[in-house]
Amino acid sequence: MSDYDLSALRERAARGDNDAIGELIELAAEREDFEELRRLADGGSRDAEDQLVELAVEKEDLEELRRLASAGNTDAAEVLAELTE
């Protein structure tokens, strides 16, 4: 995907296009782009937040799991508790 296409997709997502948001989440997960997923999650996407938890688990990123857990993500808190037992 070109930078232009990605920019257009982000613009659509910013206007609330759920298909565009879903595409961005999928692309970000494939690229392991934590920053993009955080931005989408901060914008209210529960799917992006779920993907962040999944990616953090795959990468064993305890810092990201702690960040998500401290922000109230119960899935991240549960996974973090399991991993740190």
Side-chain angles (χ1 to χ4, degrees):
M1 174 171 282
S2 72
D3 287 342
Y4 176 80
D5 292 337
L6 186 57
S7 180
L9 192 59
R10 285 181 178 138
E11 286 178 26
R12 286 179 39 217
R15 290 191 304 267
D17 183 329
N18 288 327
D19 290 335
I21 293 168
E23 286 182 55
L24 280 176
I25 292 168
E26 187 175 320
L27 287 169
E30 289 172 6
R31 293 188 331 257
E32 298 179 351
D33 187 343
F34 281 89
E35 186 176 323
E36 182 90 66
L37 289 169
R38 282 186 206 109
R39 188 182 62 74
L40 292 164
D42 290 347
S45 173
R46 176 68 182 162
D47 292 337
E49 197 170 317
D50 290 344
Q51 194 61 55
L52 264 174
V53 171
E54 234 178 89
L55 190 55
V57 169
E58 288 175 19
K59 296 296 177 182
E60 298 180 7
D61 188 338
L62 298 181
E63 183 177 322
E64 183 66 22
L65 289 169
R66 284 186 190 99
R67 187 189 74 77
L68 290 163
S70 70
N73 185 296
T74 56
D75 293 336
E78 289 172 8
V79 170
L80 188 59
E82 289 174 16
L83 292 175
T84 57
E85 285 182 344

